[in-house]
């Protein structure tokens, strides 16, 4: 049990679809993160939320839209994705900003 | 610019032997933290160990220790008495520790460790 859960674990979608990734933590953490992990590339930070407020958008295309309705839940809304967006999307949380320590299992996304 | 370098894309080690995974970093910050994460084939990233730049002693957590050589900007992970379950991808990472900055942790490309029976 990692403490951070992500659903779905696997997702296959077409380029015209709209889908959402969900992340949930009940660790009492105040910061939550979305990372993208592509093959043979370092982990890339996408978004950071601190106390439900977005503090970082790391030049992510607008086809990725994050939402943080409360400090326990984080969503990543996807629409009109490209095949190069296929990757493992990892959610993480931490008590303190900038030091993620607990990661979720990830959602393996394939865009056809 | 900050950078993390892991020069070993893959390693094969016999079970019960000790393993050293290399990590070098580059930063102009005076205060920073260094991390190691383990990622099994199941996908989740597991935090292993942390070393602060001002910590005088090398961090240890069970079978994991971090060989911190600040002058050489090196933060190698040492796993003692390796086990089959240690087979995974290992990532070195660095983060500034100034809490008033919205900075991010940066990761190396990782080293895939294979433990042989």
């Amino acid at each position: 049990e990692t403490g951070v859960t992500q659903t779905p674990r696997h997702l296959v979608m077409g380029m015209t679809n709209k889908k959402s990734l969900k992340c949930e933590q009940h660790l009492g953490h105040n910061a939550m993160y979305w990372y993208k992990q592509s093959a043979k590339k370092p982990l890339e930070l996408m978004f950071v939320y601190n106390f439900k407020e977005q503090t970082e958008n790391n030049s992510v295309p607008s086809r990725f839209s994050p939402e943080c309705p409360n400090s326990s839940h984080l969503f990543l809304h996807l629409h009109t994705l490209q095949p190069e967006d296929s990757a493992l999307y990892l959610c993480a949380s931490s008590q303190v900003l900038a030091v993620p320590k607990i990661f979720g299992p990830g959602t393996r996304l394939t865009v056809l | 610019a900050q950078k993390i370098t892991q020069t070993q894309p893959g390693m094969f080690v016999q079970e019960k032997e000790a393993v050293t995974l290399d990590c070098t970093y580059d930063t102009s910050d005076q205060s920073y933290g260094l991390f190691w994460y383990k990622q099994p084939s199941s996908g989740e990233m597991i935090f292993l160990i942390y070393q602060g730049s001002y910590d005088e002693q090398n961090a240890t957590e069970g079978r994991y220790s971090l060989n911190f050589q600040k002058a050489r900007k090196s933060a190698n992970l040492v796993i003692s008495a390796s086990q089959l379950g240690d087979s995974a991808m290992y990532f070195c990472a660095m983060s500034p520790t100034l809490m008033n900055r919205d900075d991010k942790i940066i990761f190396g490309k990782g080293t895939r460790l294979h433990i042989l029976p």
Side-chain angles (χ1 to χ4, degrees):
Chain A
E1 176 59 52
T2 64
V4 177
T5 58
Q6 289 187 244
T7 53
R9 294 295 309 276
H10 300 272
L11 178 62
V12 180
M13 58 188 289
M15 289 190 286
T16 59
N17 291 157
K18 289 184 179 181
K19 297 287 184 183
S20 295
L21 309 184
K22 179 181 176 182
C23 175
E24 187 172 352
Q25 58 90 9
H26 297 287
L27 302 169
H29 288 174
N30 298 312
M32 295 186 77
Y33 312 76
W34 279 117
Y35 283 89
K36 176 183 178 182
Q37 186 178 26
S38 305
K40 300 182 181 178
K41 292 176 69 175
L43 219 60
E44 301 170 64
L45 179 70
M46 299 176 72
F47 301 104
V48 181
Y49 277 81
N50 192 35
F51 290 94
K52 301 185 296 178
E53 297 296 323
Q54 185 173 318
T55 61
E56 179 107 16
N57 176 341
N58 200 23
S59 303
V60 181
S62 59
R63 57 185 184 270
F64 295 92
S65 174
E67 179 190 1
C68 189
N70 55 62
S71 57
S72 298
H73 295 85
L74 184 65
F75 294 89
L76 187 62
H77 303 300
L78 317 171
H79 66 98
T80 59
L81 294 191
Q82 305 297 312
E84 60 264 29
D85 296 323
S86 298
L88 180 69
Y89 289 84
L90 290 162
C91 174
S93 71
S94 64
Q95 182 64 39
V96 178
L97 189 68
V99 186
K101 284 189 178 179
I102 309 296
F103 281 79
T107 295
R108 175 70 62 185
L109 174 67
T110 302
V111 181
L112 302 177
Chain B
Q2 296 182 323
K3 186 179 179 182
I4 291 280
T5 303
Q6 293 180 253
T7 57
Q8 307 152 308
M11 286 184 70
F12 289 82
V13 174
Q14 207 67 42
E15 188 182 9
K16 299 182 183 176
E17 289 184 352
V19 181
T20 298
L21 304 180
D22 295 340
C23 174
T24 57
Y25 61 92
D26 192 15
T27 181
S28 56
D29 289 340
Q30 295 302 308
S31 178
Y32 50 90
L34 295 157
F35 306 78
W36 277 93
Y37 288 86
K38 172 184 178 181
Q39 187 178 39
S41 55
S42 51
E44 74 272 25
M45 295 276 280
I46 303 167
F47 167 73
L48 295 178
I49 195 166
Y50 168 82
Q51 176 87 42
S53 58
Y54 288 109
D55 293 340
E56 294 185 352
Q57 291 192 334
N58 286 343
T60 60
E61 291 284 349
R63 292 187 299 114
Y64 304 108
S65 61
L66 199 151
N67 184 3
F68 181 46
Q69 299 186 41
K70 193 171 183 177
R72 299 177 61 181
K73 294 190 175 179
S74 153
N76 298 341
L77 176 71
V78 180
I79 307 174
S80 63
S82 58
Q83 302 171 357
L84 295 177
D86 294 333
S87 294
M89 196 77 169
Y90 288 81
F91 292 93
C92 180
M94 176 173 64
S95 174
T97 53
L98 294 175
M99 302 316 299
N100 61 341
R101 293 171 61 186
D102 289 345
D103 281 302
K104 52 182 177 281
I105 189 169
I106 60 169
F107 289 80
K109 291 188 177 182
T111 295
R112 184 164 295 282
L113 177 63
H114 304 269
I115 305 298
L116 304 172

